[in-house]
């Protein structure tokens, strides 16, 4: 398939990017030297400069090296977005270790799987999650536990207040008795930073091919898969995003520092790569610890001008539903990016009307380091596509036999690029890649003659009704335009007569709406075989910690009830 998208790139965006063939340590050294006086991170109103994060991360690295772990050992980080996060990530990488980022809301079973599958030797964990670790740490190879309180990098006074409020007011710190024993040693984050500042840091010999991350897929359909990510994968991914951001930089006056809102959790690959891009180009990152606390989120958005707002569809919806949303100043906003799940046309329409800025969709996977396609950041309206391949990425559409299809034909998206991983961890790679090295994404879509890609659905989510393909996203987009519907999710239910039938789970925005109303509404906008046979009203849709609707839970629920 010809790379038709390159000729449609915005002005200023290069057709390809070249790797430095260096490790991320060179990226960190360069950025900390270049932007030393600039602000890097802010959380709960407390800010650290590049120079300060440089110092803390080197202290973390020096202390880790004192443990005597061999190069390439794995260390886990189980925290929400707090000021400690990036210094720990950067410090562990600077120590020559591999990091595995853990969802802090994992159950003990899920945590045990990731720690054991990754052969993790140490873990940095926020105190509220120590109770989960305590349940299974004895069943793992963990030798070192570093516990951090929420307020550890918020200053003495504010940190103490935040910690007391978390423990006694919000009751957010479950009791635990995690203490040193013959199997593992427990340390406090503050103590290891203090000790590390007095230790000598020795920069390890690292190269681009060394493993940087052992990240894990969401595990929404089973046990999470480990993904081997090299320093080269991450470095090239940041280069690709930097190139795509160029029109934004060109539109800034003078040396204005970009303030990016990091509301998606940093353990998620999209947020992680956004943070690495930020470090690479000298951005300021505003970290949101709990994006579901919309009151606090809006206060943060009002505290200083912001330019980039990456989020998921459900977060955009939650912000707009809040009574204080209209008090936010969007005058400095340059870009609203939707990733992680499809943005609905209705949400995009409301966001544009409310803020004057379009939601532009992008697409990526853990296996592509969150980079794949994006709409040009010069676009002025939502178009329902996930955009076009970024510089250095090749995408084609293939059928079940791996034949490359023509422009406009529907099939599975397959992707190749230096940002794309070459293998999974501890599992057979057969079946995940084409014979010529493209990753098979599992997403069903098409590409037009300008290179724009449109995804219809995940391959596994597609519903087949009497031989006809039904894409849940299409049905959901129609239902969500109903004025009395807040949100919905559509799944397939086994059917003897049709193979599958369509079922919709609907959250009401008006209690008066009925099943008959929704069915009649669907008949006006959908072919008969696409219309839901069953409508079930539900108080809340099940969602992951990044706000992605968990269709597999609804599918299981629907088929058990059938």
């Amino acid at each position: 398939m010809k790379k038709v998208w390159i000729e449609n790139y915005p002005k200023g965006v290069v057709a390809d990017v070249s790797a430095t063939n260096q490790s991320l340590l060179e990226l960190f050294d360069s950025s900390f030297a270049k932007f030393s006086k600039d602000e890097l991170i802010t959380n709960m109103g407390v800010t650290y400069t590049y120079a300060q994060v440089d110092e803390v991360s080197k202290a973390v690295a020096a202390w880790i090296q004192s443990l005597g772990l061999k190069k390439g050992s794995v260390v886990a980080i189980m925290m929400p977005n707090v000021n400690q996060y990036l210094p720990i990530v950067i410090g562990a990488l600077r120590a020559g270790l591999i990091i595995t980022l853990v969802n802090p809301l994992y159950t003990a079973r899920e945590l045990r799987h990731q720690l054991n599958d990754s052969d993790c030797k140490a873990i940095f964990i926020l105190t509220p999650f120590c109770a989960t670790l305590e349940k299974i740490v004895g069943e793992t190879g963990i030798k070192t536990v570093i516990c951090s309180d929420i307020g550890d990098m918020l200053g003495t006074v504010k940190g103490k207040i935040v910690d007391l409020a978390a423990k006694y007011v919000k009751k957010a710190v479950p009791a635990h008795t995690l203490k040193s024993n013959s199997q593992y040693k427990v340390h406090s984050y503050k103590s290891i930073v203090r000790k590390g500042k007095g230790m000598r840091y020795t920069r390890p010999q690292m190269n681009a091919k060394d493993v940087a991350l052992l990240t894990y897929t969401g595990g929404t359909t089973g046990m999470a898969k480990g993904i081997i990510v090299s320093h080269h994968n991450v470095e090239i991914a940041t280069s690709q995003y930097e190139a795509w951001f160029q029109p934004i930089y060109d539109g800034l006056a003078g040396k204005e520092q970009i303030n990016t809102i990091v509301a998606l959790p940093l353990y998620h690959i999209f947020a992680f790569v956004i943070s690495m891009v930020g470090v690479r180009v000298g951005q300021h990152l505003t970290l949101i610890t709990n994006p579901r606390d919309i009151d606090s989120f809006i206060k943060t958005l009002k505290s200083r001008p912001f330019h980039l707002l990456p989020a998921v569809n459900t977060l955009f919806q939650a912000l707009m539903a809040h009574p204080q949303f209209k008090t936010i100043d969007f005058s400095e906003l340059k870009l609203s990016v939707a990733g992680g799940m499809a943005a609905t046309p209705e949400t995009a329409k409301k966001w544009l009307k409310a803020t004057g800025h379009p939601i532009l969709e992008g697409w990526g996977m853990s296996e592509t380091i969150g980079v794949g396609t994006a709409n040009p950041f010069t676009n002025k309206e939502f178009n329902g596509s996930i955009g076009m391949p970024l510089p250095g990425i090749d995408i084609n559409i293939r059928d079940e036999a791996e034949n490359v299809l023509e422009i406009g034909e529907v099939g599975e998206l397959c992707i190749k690029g230096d940002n794309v991983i070459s293998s999974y961890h501890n599992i057979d790679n057969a079946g995940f890649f084409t014979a010529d090295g493209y990753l098979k994404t599992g997403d069903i879509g098409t590409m037009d003659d300008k290179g724009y890609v449109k995804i219809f659905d995940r391959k596994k989510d597609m519903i087949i009704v009497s031989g006809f393909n039904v894409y849940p996203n299409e049905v959901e987009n129609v239902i969500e335009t109903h004025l009395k519907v807040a949100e919905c999710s559509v799944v397939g239910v086994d059917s003897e007569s049709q193979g599958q039938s369509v079922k919709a789970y609907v959250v009401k925005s008006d209690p008066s709406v009925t099943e008959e109303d929704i069915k009649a509404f669907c008949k006006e906008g959908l072919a008969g075989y696409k219309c839901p046979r069953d409508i079930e009203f539900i108080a809340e849709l099940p969602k992951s910690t990044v706000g992605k609707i968990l269709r597999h839970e609804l599918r299981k629920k629907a088929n058990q009830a059938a």
Side-chain angles (χ1 to χ4, degrees):
M1 182 181 287
K2 181 183 176 183
K3 295 182 179 181
V4 295
W5 53 86
I6 292 177
E7 59 196 62
N8 295 299
Y9 275 179
K11 181 181 179 181
V13 175
V14 297
D16 202 355
V17 295
S18 57
T20 61
N21 290 318
Q22 296 177 324
S23 74
L24 291 173
L25 275 60
E26 282 78 19
L27 184 155
F28 298 143
D29 290 346
S30 174
S31 289
F32 287 135
K34 185 176 181 180
F35 308 114
S36 62
K37 296 181 180 179
D38 294 335
E39 296 177 344
L40 173 51
I41 49 176
T42 296
N43 178 237
M44 301 186 194
V46 177
T47 300
Y48 286 81
T49 65
Y50 277 76
Q52 289 171 319
V53 173
D54 184 21
E55 180 185 16
V56 176
S57 69
K58 281 184 177 176
V60 171
W63 185 86
I64 290 175
Q65 288 180 333
S66 74
L67 297 175
L69 294 173
K70 65 179 182 180
K71 176 185 171 182
S73 294
V74 178
V75 59
I77 304 169
M78 188 174 181
M79 296 181 174
N81 295 2
V82 290
N83 276 337
Q84 298 90 293
Y85 208 107
L86 286 181
I88 293 171
V89 165
I90 295 169
L93 290 171
R94 278 179 151 177
L97 301 190
I98 298 168
I99 56 175
T100 187
L101 308 179
V102 182
N103 181 343
L105 297 185
Y106 263 179
T107 64
R109 178 189 64 85
E110 293 165 322
L111 175 59
R112 179 178 57 222
H113 168 70
Q114 185 163 339
L115 296 182
N116 285 336
D117 189 69
S118 64
D119 192 24
C120 191
K121 301 303 183 187
I123 183 170
F124 286 82
I125 187 168
L126 207 67
T127 308
F129 312 108
C130 284
T132 303
L133 176 63
E134 185 178 21
K135 295 175 183 177
I136 51 86
V137 67
E139 304 169 42
T140 72
I142 293 291
K143 301 298 182 185
T144 305
V145 178
I146 304 95
C147 296
S148 179
D149 291 329
I150 299 169
D152 276 355
M153 288 185 67
L154 296 178
T156 303
V157 177
K158 185 167 187 175
K160 190 68 173 178
I161 293 171
V162 168
D163 287 337
L164 289 171
K167 188 172 184 179
Y168 297 108
V169 179
K170 295 185 178 181
K171 308 292 185 183
V173 185
H176 68 89
T177 56
L178 196 63
K179 296 180 181 180
S180 297
N181 58 33
S182 59
Q183 179 185 336
Y184 54 84
K185 300 296 182 185
V186 179
H187 308 265
S188 73
Y189 174 74
K190 280 188 174 181
S191 72
I192 71 108
V193 172
R194 183 175 63 252
K195 292 175 182 176
K197 287 181 178 180
M199 295 175 175
R200 180 173 179 172
Y201 164 66
T202 303
R203 194 179 190 279
Q205 291 294 319
M206 306 292 293
N207 63 61
K209 293 182 180 179
D210 285 330
V211 178
L213 281 78
L214 195 50
T215 189
Y216 282 74
T217 60
T220 54
T221 58
M223 275 299 184
K225 297 195 299 289
I227 295 169
I228 299 172
V229 179
S230 69
H231 284 253
H232 175 70
N233 291 145
V234 179
E235 196 273 335
I236 200 72
T238 62
S239 298
Q240 289 164 329
Y241 262 139
E242 181 184 14
W244 202 247
F245 274 105
Q246 195 57 49
I248 300 293
Y249 303 138
D250 291 342
L252 291 175
K255 295 184 178 180
E256 183 180 7
Q257 187 183 26
I258 289 178
N259 177 26
T260 296
I261 304 298
V262 185
L264 297 176
L266 283 163
Y267 74 80
H268 190 273
I269 197 66
F270 183 38
F272 174 79
V273 75
I274 287 294
S275 72
M276 291 295 102
V277 173
V279 172
R280 180 188 182 99
V281 301
Q283 294 178 4
H284 170 260
L285 306 174
T286 298
L287 307 180
I288 308 298
T289 303
N290 180 13
R292 294 185 181 185
D293 182 355
I294 303 297
D295 288 340
S296 296
F297 191 2
I298 287 180
K299 286 180 182 178
T300 300
L301 292 178
K302 293 173 66 175
S303 65
R304 67 189 292 172
F306 59 96
H307 306 89
L308 304 181
L309 180 58
V312 292
N313 189 72
T314 50
L315 186 52
F316 286 121
Q317 289 176 332
L319 283 170
M320 289 189 290
H322 195 278
Q324 292 296 310
F325 176 73
K326 293 181 180 179
T327 66
I328 301 172
D329 180 5
F330 289 97
S331 62
E332 295 297 321
L333 179 64
K334 306 297 182 185
L335 184 64
S336 304
V337 180
M341 65 180 291
T344 64
E346 192 64 18
T347 299
K349 179 181 177 181
K350 291 178 180 177
W351 185 264
L352 178 61
K353 182 178 180 180
T355 69
H357 298 274
I359 291 176
L360 301 178
E361 279 193 281
W363 168 90
M365 305 170 67
S366 298
E367 291 89 337
T368 68
I369 327 304
V371 181
T373 66
N375 275 275
F377 293 158
T378 52
N379 283 8
K380 300 300 182 184
E381 59 184 23
F382 178 83
N383 59 26
S385 83
I386 57 170
M388 55 184 68
L390 268 62
I393 291 175
D394 187 16
I395 284 180
N396 52 44
I397 311 295
R398 303 197 181 203
D399 62 19
E400 292 285 347
E402 298 187 6
N403 298 309
V404 177
L405 300 176
E406 297 296 325
I407 292 292
E409 292 190 286
V410 176
E412 182 175 6
L413 272 68
C414 296
I415 182 171
K416 180 187 279 189
D418 282 355
N419 60 305
V420 182
I421 66 159
S422 57
S423 64
Y424 289 92
H425 177 66
N426 283 346
I427 60 173
D428 185 357
N429 288 299
F432 292 108
F433 296 88
T434 64
D436 53 348
Y438 285 75
L439 175 71
K440 296 192 283 188
T441 69
D443 285 317
I444 300 298
T446 187
M447 181 184 289
D448 68 16
D449 57 3
K450 293 184 178 180
Y452 281 86
V453 178
K454 185 175 179 62
I455 287 182
F456 296 110
D457 245 305
R458 290 291 294 168
K459 191 174 182 179
K460 63 179 177 291
D461 288 334
M462 186 173 68
I463 306 166
I464 302 177
V465 179
S466 298
F468 292 98
N469 293 345
V470 178
Y471 301 104
N473 282 348
E474 179 187 8
V475 183
E476 290 164 358
N477 289 343
V478 169
I479 294 175
E480 287 191 357
T481 61
H482 194 291
L483 295 178
K484 296 181 180 181
V485 170
E487 58 181 346
C488 74
S489 185
V490 168
V491 297
V493 180
D494 294 337
S495 167
E496 288 187 10
S497 60
Q498 298 175 295
Q500 286 183 300
S501 63
V502 179
K503 179 166 184 174
Y505 287 91
V506 177
V507 178
K508 298 179 180 182
S509 62
D510 184 323
S512 68
V513 69
T514 66
E515 181 178 344
E516 289 69 29
D517 292 336
I518 302 297
K519 287 184 174 180
F521 186 76
C522 288
K523 286 181 179 178
E524 294 178 5
L526 294 166
Y529 66 90
K530 297 179 182 179
C531 292
R533 173 180 287 187
D534 297 301
I535 307 286
E536 182 173 334
F537 294 108
I538 190 169
E540 184 179 11
L541 296 175
K543 296 172 184 174
S544 70
T545 51
V546 296
K548 189 173 183 178
I549 295 169
L550 301 176
R551 277 204 190 116
H552 74 283
E553 288 192 10
L554 294 175
R555 189 158 46 236
K556 181 179 179 181
K557 175 182 170 72
N559 282 292
Q560 284 176 342

